[in-house]
Amino acid sequence: MFALVDCNSFYASCERVFRPDLKNKPVVVLSNNDGCVVALSKEAKKLGIKMCDPWYQIESAYTKKGGYAFSSNYELYADISARIMTTLERLSPNIEIYSIDEAFLDLTGVNNCQNLQDFGMQCKETIKQWTGMPVRVGIAPTKTLSKIASYGAKYYPATQGVVDLSKPERQKKLLNLVPVQEVWGVGRKIHKRLNQIGIRTALDLAMIDTKYVRNNFNIVLAKTVRELRGEPCIGLEDQSSAKKQIVVSRTFSKKVDDLRTLEEAVSDYAARAAAKLRRENRRCLYVSVFIRTNPFRTQDRQYRNSGTTRLIAPTSDTRDIIQNAKKSLRAIYRSGFNYIKAGILLSDFYDDQIQQYDFFYPKERTLHSDQLMNTIDKINKKGLPPVYFLAQGIKRKWSMKREIQSPRYTTSWNDLPKVS
DNA sequence: TCTGGGGTCCTAGGACCC
DNA sequence: TCTGGGGTCCTAGGACCC
């Protein structure tokens, strides 16, 4: 048996934790560069705002109606997420942190000593009390069904945010009410194809022959079908499973056309990616870079490309990663285009405890590399002004716009909320 | 003028091997 | 006119997730 604990409009709710005056008010959170809406409260939804609405199109009408908006504040969200996950770990022995605002709980054994509905209610209330965040809980014999349960908890207020689908009759009843595109694993493309063969609800999907699905769709959807019938196919993921790739990419705050500026941005992303890599205790062998123009500007000539370099040996040294990123960038850069986005991707990871040196690897790099990186990471961890490489640039005019960001209430001493 | 970022998994097709 | 069979590995791209 699984439980899915899911936060209600996570980013918007985070903004409310330290702003009780925003209770029952419309709140939206914007993507990087204040580009579009990525989270919205119930009240904002009622005003007709939708996920992914471009901010510049809705700003004036929305604020006139008394709506509040925030630039994304990932430091705050990550910290609140960590508090919620720690709380869940105390309530259940085995959890899988699925995303910043969701976790699956393994309820094996719990149903022997406690009513599951009560357990769900206890989770919800404890999290509210300890962190201030509203969550809902879906309980079911498979992960896919627990997602369905969570959907029920979201759209039917009578459930008070907790739905237990351990009984097959209840599963059937709810599946019949859920549109097929809401099923976990059914995206836009599959939805369209399912509609063409007359599949409209989750229950319709649960009833198709799995062989037919395997032959006409794919094995992933066949698993989904079996999960909807209550047959567990997807287990709790092992959290130790390490990342396979690290991506850092950003849209620029304005168009960029010269190589120097691109180099600066790519070096900055490379340094961030390298720091992430070290946090995972890994080294990487490949560094890829991609750049692209703005596809929304149809009047502009379009260009996109990516390039990859293989390092001499696996490394997590920022200097190596920056150097190779710049090399890849120079190989793919073409002048005469307005670039809007660049990114870096690290792949093929190795444990940082095992260092296989190459005969031709420069000695001075291997000698103090780990010590130097360690020191930089330590300094940058402690809320002091960060240490960075000159290649990352000083003014960073290309860097993203966040004009209406809330304070970092829980992660910066200067931003602590004041009580007067 | 202004349209996000970071991931995973699967599959088809090409290169290569015997 | 005629040109095998079976396998592995790698990569790019598609689809999905939050």
Side-chain angles (χ1 to χ4, degrees), chain A residues 303-323:
Chain A
Y303 175 69
R304 62 177 349 176
N305 205 352
S306 66
T308 302
T309 20
R310 184 185 198 273
L311 297 143
I312 299 168
T315 182
S316 58
D317 190 310
T318 302
R319 296 168 295 174
D320 292 329
I321 293 176
I322 288 182
Q323 204 181 356

Side-chain angles (χ1 to χ4, degrees), chain A residues 406-417:
Chain A
S406 54
R408 289 167 296 168
Y409 297 110
T410 62
T411 52
S412 162
W413 288 109
N414 295 330
D415 288 3
L416 277 184

Side-chain angles (χ1 to χ4, degrees), chain A residues 58-332:
Chain A
I58 60 163
E59 178 178 0
S60 72
Y62 174 70
T63 42
K64 258 181 219 148
K65 286 182 199 157
Y68 293 80
F70 294 91
S71 303
S72 40
N73 184 347
Y74 290 106
E75 270 188 60
L76 176 67
Y77 310 151
D79 187 64
I80 291 184
S81 173
R83 293 174 187 211
I84 291 172
M85 299 308 170
T86 311
T87 309
L88 284 175
E89 270 160 354
R90 290 179 59 162
L91 294 165
S92 160
N94 204 359
I95 83 167
E96 174 194 338
I97 298 170
Y98 180 66
S99 73
I100 194 163
D101 74 330
E102 275 173 70
F104 288 104
L105 277 50
D106 176 4
L107 298 188
T108 310
V110 173
N111 44 352
N112 294 330
C113 37
Q114 198 178 359
N115 175 289
L116 292 176
Q117 181 78 28
D118 294 347
F119 175 81
M121 208 45 100
Q122 188 196 335
C123 279
K124 187 188 131 180
E125 277 159 15
T126 310
I127 290 170
K128 179 76 193 175
Q129 196 175 355
W130 292 10
T131 69
M133 289 288 288
V135 300
R136 57 185 187 274
V137 183
I139 297 165
T142 69
K143 282 171 130 182
T144 308
L145 279 174
S146 72
K147 281 271 190 183
I148 298 278
S150 168
Y151 176 92
K154 184 174 179 179
Y155 288 101
Y156 298 97
T159 62
Q160 294 187 61
V162 179
V163 168
D164 172 13
L165 284 189
S166 18
K167 296 209 177 78
E169 314 87 72
R170 297 205 69 197
Q171 292 168 18
K172 245 189 165 168
K173 209 170 136 192
L174 183 53
L175 283 173
N176 195 32
L177 295 171
V178 177
V180 72
Q181 67 269 28
E182 300 291 336
V183 172
W184 191 40
V186 175
R188 245 191 20 249
K189 287 280 165 69
I190 303 271
H191 171 218
K192 215 172 152 190
R193 286 176 59 198
L194 285 171
N195 258 338
Q196 281 164 1
I197 56 167
I199 307 294
R200 312 266 171 216
T201 68
L203 188 61
D204 294 342
L205 182 60
M207 309 246 266
I208 329 184
D209 180 44
T210 39
K211 261 194 203 137
Y212 173 85
V213 176
R214 252 181 114 132
N215 294 334
N216 293 277
F217 292 84
N218 55 50
I219 196 164
V220 184
L221 191 66
K223 266 192 191 173
T224 301
V225 170
R226 286 161 63 195
E227 282 246 320
L228 285 175
R229 294 178 187 164
E231 188 185 329
C233 302
I234 308 169
L236 219 60
E237 290 281 324
D238 185 2
Q239 290 293 292
S240 66
S241 76
K243 283 202 175 100
K244 292 172 183 165
Q245 56 182 47
I246 287 173
V247 178
V248 175
S249 74
R250 300 273 187 283
T251 305
F252 304 132
S253 50
K254 51 183 170 187
K255 288 173 290 186
V256 170
D257 58 2
D258 64 300
L259 181 60
R260 267 204 67 129
T261 311
L262 278 178
E263 277 184 350
E264 205 176 279
V266 162
S267 301
D268 186 47
Y269 304 162
R272 291 166 189 268
K276 277 194 196 182
L277 186 64
R278 294 193 292 272
R279 239 175 287 143
E280 298 273 316
N281 301 313
R282 311 294 273 175
R283 301 184 201 275
C284 75
L285 192 55
Y286 288 92
V287 177
S288 313
V289 170
F290 64 88
I291 48 176
R292 67 166 173 80
T293 49
N294 186 351
F296 290 106
R297 285 183 62 88
T298 43
Q299 68 273 35
D300 278 11
R301 283 165 66 225
Q302 298 291 318
Y303 175 69
R304 62 177 349 176
N305 205 352
S306 66
T308 302
T309 20
R310 184 185 198 273
L311 297 143
I312 299 168
T315 182
S316 58
D317 190 310
T318 302
R319 296 168 295 174
D320 292 329
I321 293 176
I322 288 182
Q323 204 181 356
N324 282 276
K326 282 165 101 172
K327 201 158 83 185
S328 295
L329 173 66
R330 284 184 209 120
I332 57 172

